[in-house]
């Protein structure tokens, strides 16, 4: 299925810079997962691995998936700077999420941050939800559509963006409790150096045991 920002786009982006992201875990991951006890986690679209590394350093066993080999290479290098215990808790997987099916009901946490697909988004989120074990947590975070009205650089392709409510609507209410579904504000600095209020679409749901 055609996606505008495919593997080549991302490989190029990662090859062109020393580090694309901050190296810090995403704030919504820290906010939502900080109090959960460790288990098995899937980080879908892991990029340079900051979330996976943060989870592993807190005792999670992590499967971290991305299709960009340049990102995974950098993530592995970054992880090497940790103790062997944490490194050995991360399994880096190079795969295209539009075709890759994670094992069903396997993970206590399935997290995807800023993976913006259009045509294949719903199917991907369905597969990610199916990978959550009973009692486990699904955390999907994206740039909220309202960011398109700000000065933060976002691709002018509205169908890439989603709300937490849209993600929640794809979950069977008999099997899921919605814990958080909101547009959460945070501040960021735009390319002109101005502080901007942006929003994350944050969906956290718990699969019923
Ligand atoms: C905006 S980055 C976010 C990276 C990371 N989650 C973070 O928050 O720092 C999106 C990531 O998703 C990956 N990605 C996009 N489409 C993908 C696909 N179809 N299969 C696997 N990875 C994909 C990209 O390579 C990129 O690393």
């Amino acid at each position: 299925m055609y996606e505008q920002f495919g593997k080549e786009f991302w490989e190029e982006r990662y090859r062109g810079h020393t580090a694309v992201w901050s190296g810090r875990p995403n704030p919504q991951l820290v906010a939502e997962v900080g109090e959960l006890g460790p288990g098995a986690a899937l980080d879908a679209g892991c990029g340079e691995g900051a979330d996976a590394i943060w989870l592993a350093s807190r005792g999670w066993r992590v499967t971290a998936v991305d299709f960009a080999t340049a990102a995974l290479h950098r993530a592995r290098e970054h992880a090497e700077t940790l103790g062997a215990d944490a490194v050995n808790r991360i399994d880096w997987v190079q795969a295209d999420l539009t075709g890759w099916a994670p094992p069903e009901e396997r993970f206590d946490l399935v997290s995807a941050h800023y993976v913006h697909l259009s045509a294949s988004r719903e199917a991907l989120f369905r597969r990610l939800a199916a990978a959550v074990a009973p009692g486990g947590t699904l955390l999907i975070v994206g740039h909220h559509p309202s960011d398109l009205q700000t000065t933060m650089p976002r691709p002018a392709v509205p169908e890439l963006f989603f709300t937490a409510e849209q993600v929640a609507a794809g979950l069977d209410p008999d099997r899921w409790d919605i814990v958080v579904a909101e547009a959460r504000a945070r501040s960021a600095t735009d390319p002109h150096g101005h502080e901007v209020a942006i929003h994350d679409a944050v969906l956290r749901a718990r699969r019923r045991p």
Side-chain angles (χ1 to χ4, degrees):
M1 200 174 303
Y2 175 76
E3 286 290 345
Q4 184 165 7
F5 296 100
K7 186 171 186 304
E8 276 319 302
F9 168 87
W10 283 105
E11 292 287 10
E12 189 57 32
R13 181 138 189 224
Y14 285 115
R15 268 198 299 265
H17 300 73
T18 41
V20 174
W21 313 118
S22 69
R24 292 187 295 278
N26 280 301
Q28 313 312 349
L29 179 76
V30 175
E32 299 301 329
V33 172
E35 91 282 9
L36 296 181
L42 170 64
D43 181 9
C46 64
E48 293 166 324
D51 286 356
I53 290 168
W54 182 79
L55 286 165
S57 71
R58 297 173 69 87
W60 291 82
R61 285 168 284 111
V62 186
T63 302
V65 183
D66 206 289
F67 60 8
T69 46
L72 289 173
H73 178 73
R74 204 169 283 157
R76 273 203 190 88
E77 276 187 347
H78 185 183
E80 295 295 332
T81 64
L82 301 172
D85 269 9
V87 175
N88 294 337
R89 279 197 288 270
I90 309 177
D91 186 14
W92 303 104
V93 177
Q94 199 249 322
D96 186 338
L97 291 166
T98 61
W100 184 76
E104 293 197 0
E105 301 193 349
R106 176 70 63 84
F107 298 97
D108 304 298
L109 169 69
V110 172
S111 167
H113 277 70
Y114 311 112
V115 179
H116 287 269
L117 306 182
S118 53
S120 37
R121 179 175 61 239
E122 283 182 20
L124 169 64
F125 288 174
R126 259 198 308 279
R127 288 194 296 277
L128 295 183
V132 177
T137 294
L138 176 68
L139 179 62
I140 307 269
V141 176
H143 300 298
H144 192 269
S146 60
D147 281 7
L148 286 167
Q149 270 77 59
T150 73
T151 52
M152 281 306 277
R154 301 278 184 251
V157 185
E159 57 270 26
L160 286 175
F161 298 85
F162 56 86
T163 64
E165 291 77 9
Q166 286 169 329
V167 184
L171 298 176
D172 179 352
D174 291 336
R175 306 181 89 181
W176 290 91
D177 293 316
I178 306 301
V179 183
V180 175
E182 65 185 42
R184 187 174 293 169
R186 68 185 162 92
S187 89
T189 308
D190 76 7
H192 310 290
H194 300 131
E195 283 283 289
V196 191
I198 58 171
H199 290 82
D200 286 326
V202 182
L203 180 282
R204 175 179 170 186
R206 182 167 180 268
R207 171 106 188 255
R208 297 210 179 114

